[in-house]
Amino acid sequence: MQRHGQRSSATRLALLLTTPLLVFSQPLLALEAVISGVDGPVEENIDAYLQNIDEERYTDTRLEGEIRQRTQEAMRVFGYYEPDIQVDVARTPVTVRIQPGEQVRIEVLSIDIRGDAERDPPFEEAVDDFPLKEGDPLRHAPWDRLSSQLSGLAIERGYFDWGFNDRRMEVRPYQQSARLYMDFDSGPRYQFGNTVVVGSHIDPERLKNMQGFEAGDPYLAESIARYSQRLGETRWFSSVTVRPRLQTAQELVIAPPGGGAAWYDSATASQPQRPRLSSAAFASALSIGRPPTNQLPIDVTVEPSARHQFETGIGFATDVGPRLRFGWQQPWINSLGHSLNHDLYVSAPEQRFTGVYNIPLDDPLRDSYRLQYGIRNLDDSDTRSLEGTVEIARRWQFDNDWVQTLYFRTTYEDFTQGGLSDQVWLFYPGIQWSRTRAEPQRFPLWGDRQQLSLEYSDTVWGSDARFARVTGDTEWIRTLGANNRFVGRISVGAIETDNFDKIPPSLRFFAGGDRSVRGYSYESLSPRNDDGRLRGGQQMLTSTLEYQRRVRGDWWGAAFVDTGDAFDDWGPEDLKTGAGLGVRWISPVGPIRFDVAHPFDDDDNDYRLHFSIGPEF
């Protein structure tokens, strides 16, 4: 009996007219089936196999056969090779009754690793972690994953002549047994050869110092990827290609530009995510014969980046109003990779111009000297200041991502604070430790930032003030699920001195504003003098706790509580607190934050609006 009866001519004409509209206006209906007799992963796999069947395209007989065939395929991967399957397509939904029968069990399991990989720990771990053993029910997925895992490891670890001498799955359904054989021969492991740099305007020795491997070291694809990434991070180059000169017995399929290599994606599908090479990294100079020592020369091809780069930015924040920024970067100015950056910032209360001359050492991304200079004018509330600064610093970045900076700073500041004016010269050393981690960078869902700075000045070496100053910041971002984001922040600061009047405003402490205690205006919280003017504090403490909830897409709602103050005498009488609600939008130019905050300790301001652009870190 046909599933579809005869239709009238009018009905056929209506279908002809409406079918194109239906195709584009609604998805094809998936088969609805009730499955009984099995459960768990087996049932889920059968359901997945049946999902894309469009029953309207089949007669009853063909539909029944298609369902039975797909059900058998879905069960086979779990070791059920002789199930009894009854399909009833006359009902809606379709019913599939299954008697799975005996499950095939593994009678023989033979896995051998030959070649140099025989004693390579990742290969040993792959075999040791194989979840099946003799006597277990047969499952295809672990067997297929092991095959892909071994070939992926071979590619990643330099066994370019790898191959399977034997890879068989012999299933005997009538005996409910299976025999599995895998004989993997890795061949020899290749080593890194000499590195050849082409197109570089930077001293090649500097580039080789960054590579992290030496000629003769065992080959690792991860090392190649990391080297390419590090060269890109220097900003010396507009393009970077790092690749081995490779000719092997394997047929390497090179993907088109912008695409991944199919063989690599397939072979490493079961592997943990690691830095990956582009397909160009495996392009081989086929005209060059295989080195007799199995060493692969590494070819590095680079193109210089533009010597002068400019950027501008326009923004707005309730703390400072409209603001304009202009940057001029010179990523390289000589063959040693020195760089020079200048930055101009203009807003209503503050204008500043800064420059940084960077001198990289053997590891340009981790070790460098820095000369920084700048001039700053500030006119805000009770603060007037004209400041000039020169700083010489030495920077180290450690393997745990902490950055240590040792610096010596000289500052001249002509200021008026709370009605009292002075000019001071300060000479003081300092040390800072910092670390920032964020994933992803644009709008972190996980991250933290730590910073601790210690500074000391003394009249013994000509400074106009003697002081010890410490500042510390910690900020954390964590998410719960995909839609709940938490932000916490604590900032502390203290300065110990025998003559606070000689301390310029740039070193005193103020609180309040978008990045401090919301609900209060920018740097409006500090001790006041007898005239009621802000004088700045010797200590400062602020904290923030914020909960954000994704509303839809890139839109988030926020609720927050801020508390803190700037004060004297090593302890506040009370802290100022503000709380409120806000909106976050992850825009193409960065996160945009809009908050409405209520100050609980200020009778003159019921609510205050805060608006800012940019990430928390």
Side-chain angles (χ1 to χ4, degrees), residues 72 83 109 140 275 561 599:
Q72 289 173 339
L109 177 62
H140 290 203
V561 176

Side-chain angles (χ1 to χ4, degrees), residues 75 92 143 150 179 205 244 278 302 395 442 507 565 577 590:
M75 297 184 66
T92 302
W143 183 253
L150 295 180
R179 300 181 179 186
E205 286 301 318
S278 66
V302 296
R395 178 185 181 275
R442 182 182 169 204
L507 298 178
D565 205 347
T577 300

Side-chain angles (χ1 to χ4, degrees), residues 595-616:
D595 295 321
V596 180
H598 172 66
F600 290 99
D601 304 288
D602 189 344
D603 296 334
D604 295 333
N605 293 309
D606 289 335
Y607 293 95
R608 186 172 183 83
L609 302 180
H610 295 271
F611 177 80
S612 58
I613 301 176
E616 286 90 353

Side-chain angles (χ1 to χ4, degrees), residues 100-168:
E102 291 292 330
Q103 195 171 11
V104 169
R105 294 186 175 271
I106 300 174
E107 179 183 357
V108 176
L109 177 62
S110 176
I111 302 174
D112 294 315
I113 305 294
R114 306 180 189 276
D116 289 354
E118 183 178 0
R119 296 179 180 85
D120 196 349
F123 286 86
E124 294 177 341
E125 293 173 7
V127 175
D128 292 341
D129 293 342
F130 185 64
L132 302 180
K133 61 181 182 296
E134 291 182 357
D136 286 349
L138 173 65
R139 289 184 288 130
H140 290 203
W143 183 253
D144 295 336
R145 281 198 300 269
L146 179 62
S147 176
S148 297
Q149 188 176 6
L150 295 180
S151 56
L153 285 171
I155 294 168
E156 292 180 8
R157 301 181 66 79
Y159 300 94
F160 296 116
D161 296 326
W162 64 273
F164 288 96
N165 296 327
D166 192 6
R167 182 174 47 178
R168 287 180 292 145

Side-chain angles (χ1 to χ4, degrees), residues 1 32 114 122 132 283 334 453 558 561 614:
M1 176 181 176
E32 293 185 22
R114 306 180 189 276
L132 302 180
N334 56 33
S453 299
V561 176

Side-chain angles (χ1 to χ4, degrees), residues 210-223:
M210 298 173 61
Q211 66 187 17
F213 54 84
E214 301 291 339
D217 289 348
Y219 178 91
L220 275 175
E222 184 177 353
S223 297

